[in-house]
Protein backbone atom coordinates (compact mmCIF):
# COMPACT_ATOMS: atom_id res chain seq x y z
CA UNK A 1 0.00 0.00 0.00
CA UNK A 2 2.96 2.31 -0.19
CA UNK A 3 2.98 5.20 -2.59
CA UNK A 4 5.37 5.60 -5.50
CA UNK A 5 8.35 7.51 -4.12
CA UNK A 6 10.36 9.82 -6.31
CA UNK A 7 7.37 10.91 -8.36
CA UNK A 8 6.91 14.65 -8.83
CA UNK A 9 4.21 16.28 -6.67
CA UNK A 10 0.68 16.27 -8.03
CA UNK A 11 -0.46 19.82 -8.88
CA UNK A 12 -3.26 20.39 -6.39
CA UNK A 13 -5.87 22.95 -5.37
CA UNK A 14 -8.41 23.37 -2.61
CA UNK A 15 -11.99 24.55 -2.70
CA UNK A 16 -12.93 25.77 0.79
CA UNK A 17 -10.72 25.17 3.78
CA UNK A 18 -10.02 28.88 4.11
CA UNK A 19 -8.59 30.80 7.04
CA UNK A 20 -10.27 29.78 10.30
CA UNK A 21 -12.11 26.80 8.80
CA UNK A 22 -12.19 23.71 10.92
CA UNK A 23 -10.73 21.22 8.49
CA UNK A 24 -8.65 23.11 5.88
CA UNK A 25 -5.39 23.02 7.81
CA UNK A 26 -5.28 19.26 8.26
CA UNK A 27 -5.98 18.73 4.53
CA UNK A 28 -2.95 20.87 3.69
CA UNK A 29 -0.75 19.32 6.37
CA UNK A 30 -1.57 15.81 5.18
CA UNK A 31 -1.38 16.49 1.44
CA UNK A 32 1.83 18.48 1.53
CA UNK A 33 3.69 15.94 3.65
CA UNK A 34 6.61 14.41 1.73
CA UNK A 35 5.68 16.62 -1.26
CA UNK A 36 3.10 14.22 -2.62
CA UNK A 37 1.02 17.22 -3.63
CA UNK A 38 1.97 20.80 -4.43
CA UNK A 39 -0.65 23.44 -3.55
CA UNK A 40 -0.70 25.74 -6.59
CA UNK A 41 -4.25 27.17 -6.73
CA UNK A 42 -7.47 27.54 -4.79
CA UNK A 43 -10.89 29.02 -4.20
CA UNK A 44 -10.47 28.87 -0.46
CA UNK A 45 -13.34 30.92 0.83
CA UNK A 46 -16.91 31.92 0.12
CA UNK A 47 -15.58 35.49 0.42
CA UNK A 48 -13.17 36.05 -2.47
CA UNK A 49 -11.13 38.85 -0.85
CA UNK A 50 -10.61 36.74 2.28
CA UNK A 51 -9.76 33.67 0.17
CA UNK A 52 -7.29 35.64 -1.98
CA UNK A 53 -5.50 37.10 1.03
CA UNK A 54 -5.31 33.63 2.56
CA UNK A 55 -3.88 32.23 -0.70
CA UNK A 56 -1.25 34.99 -0.67
CA UNK A 57 -0.35 34.04 2.92
CA UNK A 58 0.17 30.48 1.71
CA UNK A 59 2.54 31.82 -0.97
CA UNK A 60 0.29 31.19 -3.98
CA UNK A 61 0.38 33.17 -7.21
CA UNK A 62 -2.47 35.74 -6.80
CA UNK A 63 -3.62 34.91 -10.35
CA UNK A 64 -4.35 31.38 -9.16
CA UNK A 65 -6.53 32.41 -6.18
CA UNK A 66 -9.95 32.27 -7.80
CA UNK A 67 -13.31 33.69 -6.69
CA UNK A 68 -15.14 30.35 -6.93
CA UNK A 69 -14.79 26.74 -8.06
CA UNK A 70 -16.09 27.35 -11.59
CA UNK A 71 -13.43 30.02 -12.20
CA UNK A 72 -10.80 27.77 -10.61
CA UNK A 73 -11.51 24.79 -12.86
CA UNK A 74 -11.86 26.91 -16.02
CA UNK A 75 -8.76 28.99 -15.27
CA UNK A 76 -6.60 25.99 -14.48
CA UNK A 77 -7.82 24.04 -17.52
CA UNK A 78 -6.48 26.85 -19.69
CA UNK A 79 -2.94 26.50 -18.31
CA UNK A 80 -0.32 24.02 -19.47
CA UNK A 81 0.68 23.60 -15.81
CA UNK A 82 -2.92 23.49 -14.52
CA UNK A 83 -4.04 21.48 -11.51
CA UNK A 84 -4.43 17.70 -11.65
CA UNK A 85 -6.33 17.22 -8.39
CA UNK A 86 -8.54 19.16 -6.03
CA UNK A 87 -9.75 18.75 -2.45
CA UNK A 88 -13.22 19.92 -1.50
CA UNK A 89 -13.57 21.18 2.08
CA UNK A 90 -16.74 23.25 1.93
CA UNK A 91 -20.14 22.82 3.65
CA UNK A 92 -22.01 19.68 2.60
CA UNK A 93 -24.56 21.38 0.31
CA UNK A 94 -21.83 22.32 -2.16
CA UNK A 95 -20.04 18.95 -2.45
CA UNK A 96 -22.11 17.47 -5.26
CA UNK A 97 -21.84 20.43 -7.65
CA UNK A 98 -18.13 20.96 -6.96
CA UNK A 99 -17.21 17.25 -7.31
CA UNK A 100 -19.23 16.94 -10.53
CA UNK A 101 -17.57 20.00 -12.05
CA UNK A 102 -14.12 18.79 -11.00
CA UNK A 103 -14.63 15.34 -12.51
CA UNK A 104 -16.01 16.89 -15.70
CA UNK A 105 -12.76 18.86 -15.92
CA UNK A 106 -10.82 15.60 -15.68
CA UNK A 107 -9.53 16.20 -12.16
CA UNK A 108 -8.91 13.71 -9.40
CA UNK A 109 -10.93 14.68 -6.34
CA UNK A 110 -10.72 14.30 -2.57
CA UNK A 111 -14.03 15.30 -0.99
CA UNK A 112 -15.15 15.78 2.57
CA UNK A 113 -17.81 13.60 4.10
CA UNK A 114 -20.72 13.29 3.77
CA UNK A 115 -20.09 13.06 0.03
CA UNK A 116 -23.49 14.60 -0.81
CA UNK A 117 -27.17 14.56 0.22
CA UNK A 118 -28.74 11.57 -1.58
CA UNK A 119 -27.77 8.11 -2.82
CA UNK A 120 -28.90 9.15 -6.31
CA UNK A 121 -26.38 12.03 -6.28
CA UNK A 122 -23.64 9.85 -4.79
CA UNK A 123 -24.14 7.16 -7.44
CA UNK A 124 -24.10 9.82 -10.15
CA UNK A 125 -20.67 10.93 -8.89
CA UNK A 126 -19.53 7.30 -8.77
CA UNK A 127 -20.58 6.77 -12.40
CA UNK A 128 -18.95 10.01 -13.50
CA UNK A 129 -15.67 9.14 -11.77
CA UNK A 130 -15.70 5.73 -13.49
CA UNK A 131 -16.52 7.22 -16.91
CA UNK A 132 -13.76 9.81 -16.60
CA UNK A 133 -11.32 7.36 -15.05
CA UNK A 134 -10.63 9.64 -12.08
CA UNK A 135 -10.11 9.00 -8.38
CA UNK A 136 -12.75 10.30 -5.99
CA UNK A 137 -11.57 9.83 -2.40
CA UNK A 138 -13.45 10.73 0.76
CA UNK A 139 -11.71 11.94 3.94
CA UNK A 140 -12.83 9.48 6.54
CA UNK A 141 -9.77 10.78 8.34
CA UNK A 142 -9.56 8.26 11.19
CA UNK A 143 -9.06 5.31 8.86
CA UNK A 144 -5.33 5.87 8.35
CA UNK A 145 -4.36 4.69 11.84
CA UNK A 146 -2.21 1.58 12.11
CA UNK A 147 -4.37 0.42 15.01
CA UNK A 148 -7.35 0.26 12.63
CA UNK A 149 -5.28 -1.89 10.23
CA UNK A 150 -4.40 -4.10 13.21
CA UNK A 151 -8.07 -4.52 14.09
CA UNK A 152 -8.88 -5.45 10.48
CA UNK A 153 -6.07 -8.00 10.35
CA UNK A 154 -7.09 -9.56 13.68
CA UNK A 155 -10.71 -9.95 12.60
CA UNK A 156 -9.59 -11.45 9.27
CA UNK A 157 -7.30 -13.90 11.09
CA UNK A 158 -10.20 -15.07 13.28
CA UNK A 159 -8.57 -13.87 16.52
CA UNK A 160 -11.91 -12.71 17.87
CA UNK A 161 -13.85 -15.78 16.79
CA UNK A 162 -17.17 -15.27 15.07
CA UNK A 163 -18.20 -11.59 15.03
CA UNK A 164 -21.37 -11.06 17.06
CA UNK A 165 -21.64 -7.38 17.96
CA UNK A 166 -20.50 -4.08 16.49
CA UNK A 167 -20.86 -1.22 18.94
CA UNK A 168 -20.13 2.23 17.50
CA UNK A 169 -20.31 5.69 18.97
CA UNK A 170 -19.28 9.23 18.19
CA UNK A 171 -20.90 11.35 20.85
CA UNK A 172 -19.36 14.70 21.81
CA UNK A 173 -20.85 17.35 24.07
CA UNK A 174 -19.80 20.58 22.40
CA UNK A 175 -23.23 21.48 21.06
CA UNK A 176 -25.20 20.79 24.25
CA UNK A 177 -26.60 24.31 23.98
CA UNK A 178 -27.50 26.40 20.91
CA UNK A 179 -23.89 27.46 20.26
CA UNK A 180 -24.75 27.93 16.59
CA UNK A 181 -26.44 31.25 17.44
CA UNK A 182 -22.98 32.90 17.62
CA UNK A 183 -21.00 30.63 15.31
CA UNK A 184 -21.59 30.41 11.52
CA UNK A 185 -19.32 27.36 11.20
CA UNK A 186 -21.76 25.45 13.43
CA UNK A 187 -24.92 27.16 12.14
CA UNK A 188 -24.72 25.56 8.69
CA UNK A 189 -24.39 22.11 10.29
CA UNK A 190 -27.88 22.32 11.83
CA UNK A 191 -29.58 23.85 8.78
CA UNK A 192 -30.87 21.25 6.27
CA UNK A 193 -30.25 23.63 3.37
CA UNK A 194 -26.49 23.35 3.99
CA UNK A 195 -26.08 20.16 6.05
CA UNK A 196 -28.50 17.90 4.18
CA UNK A 197 -31.01 15.46 5.68
CA UNK A 198 -29.15 14.91 8.96
CA UNK A 199 -26.76 16.52 11.41
CA UNK A 200 -24.95 14.06 13.69
CA UNK A 201 -25.78 10.94 11.63
CA UNK A 202 -23.91 12.34 8.61
CA UNK A 203 -21.42 14.60 10.38
CA UNK A 204 -20.26 12.16 13.07
CA UNK A 205 -21.65 8.63 12.80
CA UNK A 206 -20.37 8.06 9.26
CA UNK A 207 -16.83 8.07 10.70
CA UNK A 208 -17.10 5.01 13.02
CA UNK A 209 -19.41 3.40 10.48
CA UNK A 210 -16.63 3.53 7.89
CA UNK A 211 -14.13 2.20 10.43
CA UNK A 212 -16.45 -0.76 11.07
CA UNK A 213 -16.60 -1.40 7.32
CA UNK A 214 -12.80 -1.41 7.18
CA UNK A 215 -12.45 -3.70 10.20
CA UNK A 216 -15.32 -6.08 9.35
CA UNK A 217 -15.66 -5.98 5.56
CA UNK A 218 -17.79 -9.13 5.52
CA UNK A 219 -20.65 -7.56 7.49
CA UNK A 220 -23.55 -6.35 5.37
CA UNK A 221 -26.51 -4.52 6.92
CA UNK A 222 -29.84 -6.31 6.36
CA UNK A 223 -32.15 -3.84 8.13
CA UNK A 224 -31.93 -1.01 10.62
CA UNK A 225 -33.96 1.05 13.05
CA UNK A 226 -33.06 4.63 13.89
CA UNK A 227 -34.54 7.10 16.40
CA UNK A 228 -33.33 10.68 16.31
CA UNK A 229 -33.94 13.63 18.61
CA UNK A 230 -33.39 17.39 18.58
CA UNK A 231 -32.67 18.23 22.21
CA UNK A 232 -31.99 21.81 21.18
CA UNK A 233 -35.44 22.33 19.71
CA UNK A 234 -34.45 24.96 17.15
CA UNK A 235 -32.38 22.28 15.35
CA UNK A 236 -35.44 20.28 14.30
CA UNK A 237 -35.88 18.60 11.87
CA UNK A 238 -32.16 17.90 12.15
CA UNK A 239 -31.09 15.72 15.05
CA UNK A 240 -28.43 16.40 17.66
CA UNK A 241 -28.66 12.84 19.00
CA UNK A 242 -29.52 9.50 17.39
CA UNK A 243 -29.46 5.80 18.18
CA UNK A 244 -29.41 3.20 15.42
CA UNK A 245 -29.79 -0.57 15.65
CA UNK A 246 -28.50 -2.69 12.76
CA UNK A 247 -29.10 -6.31 11.90
CA UNK A 248 -26.41 -7.73 9.66
CA UNK A 249 -26.78 -10.61 7.23
CA UNK A 250 -25.73 -13.77 9.06
CA UNK A 251 -26.94 -12.73 12.53
CA UNK A 252 -24.44 -10.18 13.86
CA UNK A 253 -25.95 -7.08 15.47
CA UNK A 254 -24.80 -3.47 15.56
CA UNK A 255 -25.57 -0.33 17.57
CA UNK A 256 -24.57 3.24 16.81
CA UNK A 257 -24.93 6.14 19.24
CA UNK A 258 -24.12 9.54 17.87
CA UNK A 259 -24.58 12.84 19.62
CA UNK A 260 -23.52 16.46 19.87
CA UNK A 261 -25.18 16.86 23.28
CA UNK A 262 -23.24 14.26 25.28
CA UNK A 263 -22.44 16.91 27.90
CA UNK A 264 -18.92 16.71 29.25
CA UNK A 265 -17.60 14.35 26.56
CA UNK A 266 -14.72 15.34 24.30
CA UNK A 267 -15.07 13.10 21.22
CA UNK A 268 -16.07 9.70 22.56
CA UNK A 269 -15.62 8.05 19.19
CA UNK A 270 -15.34 4.35 19.92
CA UNK A 271 -15.49 1.18 17.89
CA UNK A 272 -16.02 -2.06 19.81
CA UNK A 273 -16.09 -5.35 17.94
CA UNK A 274 -17.27 -8.34 19.98
CA UNK A 275 -16.52 -11.87 18.82
CA UNK A 276 -17.38 -15.26 20.28
CA UNK A 277 -13.89 -15.49 21.84
CA UNK A 278 -12.62 -11.93 22.34
CA UNK A 279 -13.32 -8.24 21.76
CA UNK A 280 -11.43 -5.28 20.34
CA UNK A 281 -11.97 -1.68 21.29
CA UNK A 282 -10.55 1.44 19.64
CA UNK A 283 -11.03 4.99 20.97
CA UNK A 284 -10.06 7.99 18.89
CA UNK A 285 -8.81 9.92 21.94
CA UNK A 286 -6.18 7.19 22.49
CA UNK A 287 -5.55 6.07 18.92
CA UNK A 288 -2.12 4.58 19.57
CA UNK A 289 -3.64 1.73 21.57
CA UNK A 290 -6.04 -1.02 20.67
CA UNK A 291 -7.67 -2.88 23.55
CA UNK A 292 -7.71 -6.67 23.03
CA UNK A 293 -9.87 -8.45 25.56
CA UNK A 294 -9.95 -12.24 25.55
CA UNK A 295 -12.71 -13.76 27.69
CA UNK A 296 -11.20 -15.01 30.96
CA UNK A 297 -7.86 -13.19 30.53
CA UNK A 298 -6.61 -9.74 31.54
CA UNK A 299 -7.21 -7.09 28.87
CA UNK A 300 -4.18 -6.14 26.73
CA UNK A 301 -3.39 -2.74 25.27
CA UNK A 302 -1.74 -3.37 21.89
CA UNK A 303 0.62 -0.47 21.17
CA UNK A 304 1.17 1.21 17.83
CA UNK A 305 4.49 0.41 16.18
CA UNK A 306 5.27 -2.78 18.13
CA UNK A 307 6.71 -5.73 16.25
CA UNK A 308 4.02 -8.08 17.57
CA UNK A 309 1.44 -6.33 15.35
CA UNK A 310 0.36 -7.63 11.97
CA UNK A 311 2.57 -6.23 9.15
CA UNK A 312 -0.36 -4.23 7.72
CA UNK A 313 -0.49 -2.28 10.99
CA UNK A 314 3.14 -1.24 10.61
CA UNK A 315 3.08 -0.32 6.92
CA UNK A 316 2.06 3.34 7.39
CA UNK A 317 4.22 3.99 10.45
CA UNK A 318 6.12 7.30 10.38
CA UNK A 319 8.08 7.17 13.61
CA UNK A 320 9.35 4.43 15.87
CA UNK A 321 7.31 3.03 18.71
CA UNK A 322 6.94 5.12 21.84
CA UNK A 323 6.34 8.40 20.05
CA UNK A 324 2.60 8.96 19.92
CA UNK A 325 1.02 9.44 16.53
CA UNK A 326 -2.24 11.30 16.05
CA UNK A 327 -4.85 12.50 13.60
CA UNK A 328 -2.30 14.30 11.42
CA UNK A 329 -0.46 11.03 10.78
CA UNK A 330 -3.70 9.21 10.04
CA UNK A 331 -4.67 11.84 7.47
CA UNK A 332 -1.20 11.81 6.01
CA UNK A 333 -1.41 8.05 5.46
CA UNK A 334 -4.72 8.58 3.68
CA UNK A 335 -3.38 11.36 1.46
CA UNK A 336 -0.45 9.05 0.65
CA UNK A 337 -2.96 6.45 -0.54
CA UNK A 338 -4.95 9.05 -2.49
CA UNK A 339 -1.73 10.13 -4.25
CA UNK A 340 -0.79 6.52 -4.97
CA UNK A 341 -4.25 5.84 -6.42
CA UNK A 342 -4.09 8.97 -8.60
CA UNK A 343 -0.66 8.09 -9.94
CA UNK A 344 -1.61 4.46 -10.57
CA UNK A 345 -4.78 5.62 -12.36
CA UNK A 346 -2.81 8.05 -14.52
CA UNK A 347 -0.40 5.37 -15.67
CA UNK A 348 -3.15 2.74 -16.08
CA UNK A 349 -1.60 0.45 -13.47
CA UNK A 350 -4.51 -1.85 -12.61
CA UNK A 351 -2.34 -4.14 -10.48
CA UNK A 352 -1.21 -1.26 -8.25
CA UNK A 353 -4.78 -0.03 -7.93
CA UNK A 354 -6.01 -3.48 -6.94
CA UNK A 355 -3.50 -3.50 -4.08
CA UNK A 356 -4.66 -0.15 -2.70
CA UNK A 357 -7.42 0.35 -0.16
CA UNK A 358 -8.56 3.84 0.76
CA UNK A 359 -11.89 5.56 1.42
CA UNK A 360 -13.01 5.76 -2.20
CA UNK A 361 -16.20 6.85 -3.89
CA UNK A 362 -17.87 3.53 -2.96
CA UNK A 363 -17.20 4.35 0.70
CA UNK A 364 -18.69 7.79 0.10
CA UNK A 365 -21.81 6.23 -1.45
CA UNK A 366 -22.06 3.77 1.48
CA UNK A 367 -22.05 6.59 4.03
CA UNK A 368 -24.77 8.52 2.20
CA UNK A 369 -26.81 5.29 1.86
CA UNK A 370 -26.58 4.63 5.60
CA UNK A 371 -27.74 8.16 6.48
CA UNK A 372 -30.60 7.92 4.00
CA UNK A 373 -31.79 4.63 5.53
CA UNK A 374 -31.48 6.04 9.08
CA UNK A 375 -33.52 9.11 8.19
CA UNK A 376 -36.16 6.98 6.45
CA UNK A 377 -36.51 4.84 9.59
CA UNK A 378 -36.47 7.76 12.04
CA UNK A 379 -38.97 9.84 10.10
CA UNK A 380 -41.37 6.89 9.91
CA UNK A 381 -41.40 6.88 13.73
CA UNK A 382 -38.31 4.77 14.47
CA UNK A 383 -39.27 1.56 12.68
CA UNK A 384 -37.25 -1.29 11.18
CA UNK A 385 -36.57 -0.69 7.50
CA UNK A 386 -34.99 -3.06 5.01
CA UNK A 387 -31.62 -1.70 3.94
CA UNK A 388 -31.60 -0.42 0.39
N1 LIG B 1 -13.22 14.50 7.87
C1 LIG B 1 -13.40 15.10 9.03
O1 LIG B 1 -12.96 14.60 10.07
C2 LIG B 1 -14.12 16.40 9.07
C3 LIG B 1 -14.04 17.26 10.18
C4 LIG B 1 -14.69 18.49 10.12
C5 LIG B 1 -15.43 18.84 9.01
N2 LIG B 1 -15.53 17.96 7.97
C6 LIG B 1 -16.29 18.31 6.75
O2 LIG B 1 -15.56 19.30 6.05
C7 LIG B 1 -16.45 20.19 5.39
C8 LIG B 1 -16.13 21.61 5.84
O3 LIG B 1 -16.30 21.69 7.24
P1 LIG B 1 -15.59 22.78 8.16
O4 LIG B 1 -15.88 22.37 9.56
O5 LIG B 1 -14.19 23.01 7.75
O6 LIG B 1 -16.50 24.06 7.79
P2 LIG B 1 -16.20 25.58 8.12
O7 LIG B 1 -17.52 26.25 8.10
O8 LIG B 1 -15.30 25.70 9.32
O9 LIG B 1 -15.31 26.06 6.85
C9 LIG B 1 -15.84 26.02 5.54
C10 LIG B 1 -14.87 26.75 4.61
O10 LIG B 1 -15.35 26.64 3.26
C11 LIG B 1 -15.46 27.97 2.70
N3 LIG B 1 -16.56 27.93 1.73
C12 LIG B 1 -17.88 27.82 1.97
N4 LIG B 1 -18.56 27.74 0.80
C13 LIG B 1 -17.64 27.83 -0.19
C14 LIG B 1 -17.71 27.81 -1.60
N5 LIG B 1 -18.89 27.69 -2.24
N6 LIG B 1 -16.56 27.90 -2.32
C15 LIG B 1 -15.36 28.03 -1.68
N7 LIG B 1 -15.23 28.04 -0.35
C16 LIG B 1 -16.36 27.95 0.39
C17 LIG B 1 -15.70 28.88 3.87
O11 LIG B 1 -15.40 30.23 3.58
C18 LIG B 1 -14.74 28.24 4.89
O12 LIG B 1 -13.41 28.64 4.65
C19 LIG B 1 -17.86 19.71 5.75
O13 LIG B 1 -18.35 18.88 4.73
C20 LIG B 1 -17.67 18.89 7.01
O14 LIG B 1 -18.63 17.86 7.15
C21 LIG B 1 -14.89 16.78 7.99
Amino acid sequence: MSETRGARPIRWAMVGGGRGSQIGYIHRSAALRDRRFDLVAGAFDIDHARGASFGAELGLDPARCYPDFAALFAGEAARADGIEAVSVATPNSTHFAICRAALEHGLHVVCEKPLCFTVAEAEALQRLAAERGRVLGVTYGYSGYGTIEQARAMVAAGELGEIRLVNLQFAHGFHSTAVEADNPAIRWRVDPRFAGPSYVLGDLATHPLYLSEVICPELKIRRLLCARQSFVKSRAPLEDNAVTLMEYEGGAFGTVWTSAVNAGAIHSQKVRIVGSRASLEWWDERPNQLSFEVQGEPARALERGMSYLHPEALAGDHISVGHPEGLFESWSVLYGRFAAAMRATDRGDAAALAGLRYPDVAAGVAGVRWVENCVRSADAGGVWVDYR
Side-chain angles (χ1 to χ4, degrees):
M1 208 167 289
S2 71
E3 70 208 89
T4 312
R5 294 277 171 188
R8 65 160 180 80
I10 295 166
R11 295 187 299 276
W12 176 66
M14 285 195 77
V15 180
R19 186 188 293 123
S21 66
Q22 192 183 127
I23 210 67
Y25 179 67
I26 196 166
H27 276 275
R28 288 184 291 279
S29 305
L32 302 179
R33 177 104 41 112
D34 290 339
R35 302 203 67 222
R36 296 164 181 134
F37 293 87
D38 192 7
L39 182 64
V40 295
F44 296 103
D45 204 297
I46 189 78
D47 178 315
H48 178 41
R50 211 167 47 194
S53 95
F54 184 60
E57 245 173 60
L58 295 174
L60 265 61
D61 175 351
R64 298 179 85 173
C65 296
Y66 297 88
D68 54 43
F69 72 87
L72 166 70
F73 299 152
E76 290 297 307
R79 299 177 66 108
D81 63 349
I83 56 168
E84 300 159 282
V86 64
S87 289
V88 181
T90 51
N92 307 350
S93 54
T94 61
H95 293 176
F96 177 69
I98 300 173
C99 288
R100 184 177 57 189
L103 291 167
E104 282 170 348
H105 278 86
L107 299 172
H108 295 299
V109 185
V110 172
C111 184
E112 268 303 344
K113 43 51 59 179
L115 180 57
C116 48
F117 282 5
T118 66
V119 171
E121 284 176 352
E123 288 180 342
L125 291 177
Q126 187 173 32
R127 277 194 302 276
L128 186 57
E131 278 163 27
R132 302 295 168 111
R134 299 291 84 182
V135 168
L136 174 47
V138 180
T139 35
Y140 288 121
Y142 304 93
S143 58
Y145 282 115
T147 41
I148 297 297
E149 292 299 326
Q150 173 69 12
R152 176 183 165 94
M154 290 176 77
V155 167
E159 293 173 49
L160 276 61
E162 183 190 332
I163 302 305
R164 291 176 169 170
L165 297 167
V166 173
N167 192 202
L168 309 173
Q169 74 175 53
F170 196 159
H172 70 67
F174 291 102
H175 303 164
S176 293
T177 58
V179 285
E180 57 269 29
D182 306 319
N183 188 336
I186 300 170
R187 203 174 305 140
W188 71 255
R189 290 180 150 78
V190 294
D191 182 336
R193 289 174 301 164
F194 304 104
S198 77
Y199 169 30
V200 290
L201 288 162
D203 198 47
L204 304 176
T206 50
H207 281 294
L209 183 81
Y210 178 65
L211 296 179
S212 74
E213 291 164 3
V214 169
I215 297 169
C216 302
E218 306 299 325
L219 292 184
K220 302 292 171 226
I221 302 171
R222 195 168 72 82
R223 58 179 198 148
L224 64 68
L225 179 155
C226 176
R228 61 174 179 164
Q229 302 80 33
S230 314
F231 283 102
V232 175
K233 296 296 174 214
S234 52
R235 292 174 182 159
L238 297 194
E239 77 291 344
D240 51 24
N241 189 81
V243 176
T244 305
L245 308 179
M246 305 183 291
E247 269 181 18
Y248 294 101
E249 305 285 353
F253 200 84
T255 50
V256 187
W257 175 36
T258 183
S259 187
V261 296
N262 182 18
I266 298 297
H267 246 200
S268 275
Q269 182 181 189
K270 290 186 176 171
V271 174
R272 184 172 178 86
I273 311 292
V274 179
S276 51
R277 172 179 175 267
S279 301
L280 284 175
E281 186 162 310
W282 182 86
W283 178 19
D284 79 335
E285 294 171 35
R286 300 206 180 146
N288 293 280
Q289 289 83 31
L290 179 67
S291 180
F292 181 39
E293 303 158 25
V294 179
Q295 179 56 33
E297 297 179 15
R300 274 168 267 183
L302 306 183
E303 285 283 340
R304 179 200 71 76
M306 293 293 284
S307 57
Y308 53 67
L309 300 180
H310 285 273
E312 301 91 310
L314 298 167
D317 225 37
H318 287 113
I319 191 163
S320 59
V321 65
H323 303 282
E325 287 192 347
L327 194 60
F328 283 76
E329 276 70 31
S330 175
W331 275 65
S332 151
V333 166
L334 285 190
Y335 261 95
R337 294 178 190 170
F338 293 146
M342 291 173 191
R343 287 177 180 136
T345 301
D346 288 347
R347 60 177 193 274
D349 188 341
L353 279 172
L356 273 169
R357 179 173 40 75
Y358 61 95
D360 60 5
V361 63
V365 175
V368 174
R369 185 182 304 286
W370 186 80
V371 171
E372 200 166 277
N373 277 274
C374 286
V375 169
R376 190 160 54 89
S377 164
D379 290 357
V383 297
W384 285 101
V385 294
D386 289 336
Y387 204 66
R388 62 180 196 220

